[in-house]
Amino acid sequence: MIRGIAPGAEIADISHLIRPFGVREGALVLAASVGWFPDAVHLAVVDPGVGSARRALVLQAGGSHLVGPDNGLLLPAAERLGGVRAAFEVSNPDLGTAGRSRTFHGRDVFAPAAAHLRNGVAPAQFGPELAVDSLASLPAPVAEFF
């Protein structure tokens, strides 16, 4: 999907080993990875809410963009890059988000958004700007003693 829209895109596949529904695990892997790439488009999907009303996001952080679901997955990586400068909902049907399936948002929503960003489409063209404090975040981990 990405190379169909952005034929010259270089793709680094970091992991397919995140446990199903492991949003916190995915967030940690993403946050540990983003610093190794200069100003890049980072696409991440660990999405127990696929097919639900949860939002699809493009975040600007540092000189990079993060694309993925609004479930807390992207925020630790954005913090690692200096914090979210702006957030946009991916909802513009002219950028390949129309006709999405209920189960393959990675292919039908997030990959096209990442490819269009790679091609220079401005984040504001994807949809409305969102208040950063409205983004879903992960609850703080709690230590348990046995």
Side-chain angles (χ1 to χ4, degrees):
M1 179 61 76
I2 292 172
R3 287 210 176 106
I5 295 169
E10 292 183 45
I11 299 171
D13 190 347
I14 302 302
S15 179
H16 284 271
L17 300 176
I18 306 302
R19 287 175 288 164
F21 311 117
V23 176
R24 183 181 306 282
E25 182 181 355
L28 293 172
V29 170
L30 180 61
S33 302
V34 294
W36 295 99
F37 297 91
D39 298 349
V41 176
H42 303 279
L43 166 63
V45 183
V46 178
D47 194 9
V50 70
S52 72
R54 72 89 191 96
R55 300 178 293 195
L57 302 175
V58 169
L59 304 181
Q60 292 178 295
S64 293
H65 298 93
L66 297 141
V67 179
D70 184 17
N71 62 6
L73 175 68
L74 304 178
L75 291 183
E79 289 304 314
R80 185 89 186 256
L81 293 168
V84 177
R85 291 187 301 122
F88 299 90
E89 182 173 6
V90 176
S91 59
N92 182 346
D94 294 334
L95 294 174
T97 61
R100 61 175 118 174
S101 73
R102 293 188 47 79
T103 56
F104 296 114
H105 288 185
R107 177 197 67 203
D108 297 342
V109 178
F110 303 123
H116 286 300
L117 285 165
R118 163 45 176 88
N119 283 343
V121 172
Q125 291 184 280
F126 286 91
E129 187 165 5
L130 303 169
V132 173
D133 64 0
S134 77
L135 302 177
S137 60
L138 295 171
V142 177
E144 293 184 35
F145 298 94
F146 299 97

